[in-house]
Amino acid sequence: IGSATVLPRGGDAPAADGKYYYDVSSISLSGPASRILSVAPATDVVIRITAPSGSSGVSIGGNASIQVLAGATLEMYTNSDVAIAGRGIANANDPAAFQLWSTRPAGAAGSQSISVSGNGQLSAVVYAPNADVTMNGGGSSGNVYGAVVADTIRVTGGSDFHYDEALAAMSSGNPFGVSRWSELT
């Protein structure tokens, strides 16, 4: 996906579970604000990135973005690298509406990098226990909201991370509930 796209596409039918499934080699959006991947309101979309480990599977830059519109959800599965900058991911600050799942197996050769940089915004649940997550820059509006599980997490520059306590009540076995934390200031 490299240009303005709305999912689900006209004529696509949902699977038996009501979700729309797409296998794509990569998502690469950069440049003008018109380059938006949008998930239509009140739909559930699952994207499986098929780019190989060690390559760029998702790249958002410039004024481009991914938008998860009202009542929609987007689940993204990948073992490739993810770089979010530009206008990032817009989903009305509902982290449960965008879930990024790493499929990189433990002990696999190489590494997986997930980065949020510049003015990149990310409101999401990120489950990547075998990946390195970096949040840097922050710019004038770069923030991360939600929950992150990773092998390593690095926060530098002006980036801010905000855990969304509403995720503690998330369904599906509550994988992102926090039993305790120590707030750093």
Side-chain angles (χ1 to χ4, degrees):
I1 298 174
S3 61
T5 304
V6 176
L7 296 176
R9 298 171 300 196
D12 289 349
D17 64 0
K19 296 180 181 182
Y20 293 85
Y21 289 85
Y22 299 94
D23 288 338
V24 300
S25 60
S26 66
I27 297 173
S28 181
L29 298 168
S30 65
S34 60
R35 293 215 174 114
I36 299 172
L37 168 59
S38 297
V39 177
T43 59
D44 298 317
V45 171
V46 176
I47 297 176
R48 295 177 289 217
I49 306 295
T50 61
S53 178
S55 65
S56 177
V58 178
S59 177
I60 311 292
N63 287 315
S65 65
I66 294 176
Q67 293 184 351
V68 183
L69 300 175
T73 64
L74 173 60
E75 296 173 44
M76 192 176 296
Y77 295 84
T78 184
N79 70 351
S80 56
D81 293 343
V82 176
I84 300 169
R87 291 177 47 218
I89 311 289
N91 60 358
N93 289 331
D94 177 8
F98 176 64
Q99 298 175 26
L100 178 61
W101 297 85
S102 169
T103 58
R104 178 178 159 61
S111 64
Q112 180 182 22
S113 170
I114 299 172
S115 68
V116 180
S117 61
N119 286 328
Q121 295 284 319
L122 180 64
S123 179
V125 171
V126 177
Y127 186 75
N130 301 309
D132 301 320
V133 174
T134 304
M135 297 171 247
N136 62 21
S140 61
S141 60
N143 290 300
V144 178
Y145 302 91
V148 177
V149 173
D151 184 34
T152 63
I153 300 173
R154 172 180 256 177
V155 181
T156 61
S159 292
D160 288 325
F161 176 81
H162 309 276
Y163 172 68
D164 186 342
E165 293 180 32
L167 293 172
M170 194 172 152
S171 62
S172 299
N174 193 11
F176 302 102
V178 173
S179 61
R180 63 184 174 166
W181 71 82
S182 177
E183 189 164 336
L184 303 175
T185 58

